Amino acid sequence: LFRSLDTLIQSMQACIHDVKSWMTTNKLKLNDEKTEVMIVSSPRTSTSLQVPDSIIIGNSSVAFSDCVKNLGVSLDSHLTMHSHVINVIRSINFELRRIGSIRHLLSYKTTQTLVSAFILSRLDYCSSLLFGCPQYLLNRLQKVQNNAARLVLRVRKSDHITPHLHSLHWLPVDSRIRYKIACLSYAAVSQTGPSYLTDLIHPYTPTRTLRSSADTSILTKPRVNTKSFGERAFSFSAPLVWNSLPVNLRNSNSTASFRSSLKTHLFTQAYQ
C-alpha cells in the first residue's frame, strides 16, 4: 500500500512548500498554525504504520490528527464517518431542545419550517459522504429524524413513526442519501455539474448490441479492490444508484423534473 511512509511525508511536505510559495507570490497566506495533517488508512493497516509525532509545514511543527474537520464535515483516519455522525446528532439534538422549549407557542406550519431549516438541513448536508456507512450510524440518524417528526406532529414516543413520516412526506435517511447521490449523478451525466464529478463516471458501452433498443443511459460500474473505501467512492456509488433508477427517470429533460420525479420514486419505494 505504501512505498515508504517517510517518502510520502517528504513528498507531501514538498507539495505544501510549493503551494505556500505560489500563495506567497499571489499575495495569499497559508496559515501554518491552522493546518492539520492526517493519514487515512484501514484499521488493519494503521497498526503496522510507524507514524511520526509531527511534520514540519512552513515554520510550524504540525502533529498528526485522528480526526479533522473540513467544510463542516468531520473526517476520521479510517473514514468511518462516526465522528461526523456524532457531531450531526449532537447539533440536531441541541436544535430539537430549543424548538421543543417553545413548541407550545408555535403553529404546525411554523414548527415544520423551523425543523426543515435547522434539522433536515443538517441531515442533508454532505449526506452523499454517508453512502455505504455502517447501518448502526444510519439508524442513529434515523432516530433523530423520527424525533423531529414527533416534535412537529406532537405524537407520543410510543406511536409507530412510519405513518407520521409518510404524512410529512419526508424521505427516510437512507433514501435521502440515495437522493443526493442520484442528483449528483444526474449533474455529472448531463454535464451540468463540476467536471471532477463528470470525469469519475463513464457511460456503459456493450461489447455488442444485441437489440436496437438497448438502454444507453446506464453507467459502467467499476471494479473495486476494497469494500470499505472502494464501494463508497462516487465512481462506484453513482453507477450503483443511477442504474437502479427507471429509464424514464434517467432520461429526464431538466434538473427540476428529475428531482421531482426522483423524490416521488424514492418515496414510493420507502413507503410501499
Side-chain angles (χ1 to χ4, degrees):
L1 180 61
F2 296 98
R3 297 189 306 272
S4 168
L5 185 59
D6 292 336
T7 301
L8 291 178
I9 291 176
Q10 292 173 7
S11 299
M12 182 174 61
Q13 288 176 313
C15 178
I16 295 176
H17 179 270
D18 292 342
V19 170
K20 187 173 183 179
S21 299
W22 180 90
M23 294 180 71
T24 302
T25 302
N26 289 273
K27 297 180 174 56
L28 300 172
K29 181 182 179 180
L30 177 65
N31 195 330
D32 301 336
E33 296 180 356
K34 291 186 177 180
T35 302
E36 296 180 280
V37 60
M38 179 179 69
I39 293 180
V40 177
S41 66
S42 65
R44 180 178 180 181
T45 303
S46 63
T47 58
S48 60
L49 294 177
Q50 295 181 351
V51 181
D53 294 332
S54 62
I55 64 171
I56 302 300
I57 297 179
N59 299 320
S60 302
S61 176
V62 180
F64 282 87
S65 303
D66 293 327
C67 182
V68 300
K69 181 171 286 190
N70 185 28
L71 299 177
V73 177
S74 299
L75 301 172
D76 59 87
S77 58
H78 303 318
L79 296 184
T80 63
M81 302 306 294
H82 181 272
S83 298
H84 177 68
V85 170
I86 294 302
N87 289 337
V88 170
I89 292 174
R90 184 181 296 115
S91 65
I92 288 178
N93 284 335
F94 175 75
E95 297 297 342
L96 284 174
R97 287 192 294 270
R98 288 179 55 184
I99 299 173
S101 65
I102 58 173
R103 176 64 181 91
H104 62 287
L105 302 174
L106 303 175
S107 66
Y108 163 78
K109 191 66 176 178
T110 302
T111 307
Q112 190 176 29
T113 301
L114 288 174
V115 167
S116 178
F118 293 103
I119 308 300
L120 300 185
S121 61
R122 283 175 165 80
L123 279 177
D124 293 336
Y125 181 70
C126 291
S127 60
S128 58
L129 297 176
L130 300 177
F131 184 87
C133 282
Q135 188 60 43
Y136 78 92
L137 290 178
L138 300 185
N139 291 341
R140 296 187 67 172
L141 289 173
Q142 186 60 57
K143 183 178 180 180
V144 295
Q145 187 191 35
N146 296 347
N147 291 338
R150 291 189 172 94
L151 177 63
V152 173
L153 298 174
R154 286 183 165 180
V155 296
R156 297 172 300 179
K157 291 185 178 181
S158 58
D159 288 355
H160 187 51
I161 196 61
T162 300
H164 300 297
L165 292 174
H166 184 277
S167 67
L168 288 168
H169 211 72
W170 287 0
L171 289 174
V173 170
D174 56 345
S175 296
R176 301 178 88 91
I177 294 172
R178 296 180 73 86
Y179 176 87
K180 184 62 71 68
I181 293 287
C183 288
L184 292 174
S185 301
Y186 181 83
V189 170
S190 61
Q191 297 185 346
T192 57
S195 58
Y196 59 80
L197 289 183
T198 304
D199 294 341
L200 293 175
I201 62 171
H202 305 282
Y204 174 72
T205 304
T207 54
R208 57 175 182 165
T209 303
L210 299 178
R211 297 179 180 177
S212 58
S213 59
D215 185 5
T216 59
S217 63
I218 62 175
L219 300 175
T220 300
K221 188 169 67 173
R223 294 182 178 179
V224 294
N225 296 324
T226 58
K227 184 177 180 64
S228 299
F229 296 141
E231 292 188 3
R232 291 172 55 192
F234 181 77
S235 57
F236 183 89
S237 63
L240 187 67
V241 173
W242 179 260
N243 294 346
S244 68
L245 302 177
V247 177
N248 62 324
L249 182 53
R250 296 199 298 265
N251 293 326
S252 298
N253 296 324
S254 66
T255 301
S257 63
F258 175 78
R259 287 174 177 269
S260 177
S261 300
L262 174 62
K263 183 174 181 180
T264 301
H265 170 71
L266 293 176
F267 188 83
T268 302
Q269 279 192 328
Y271 299 106
Q272 60 184 359

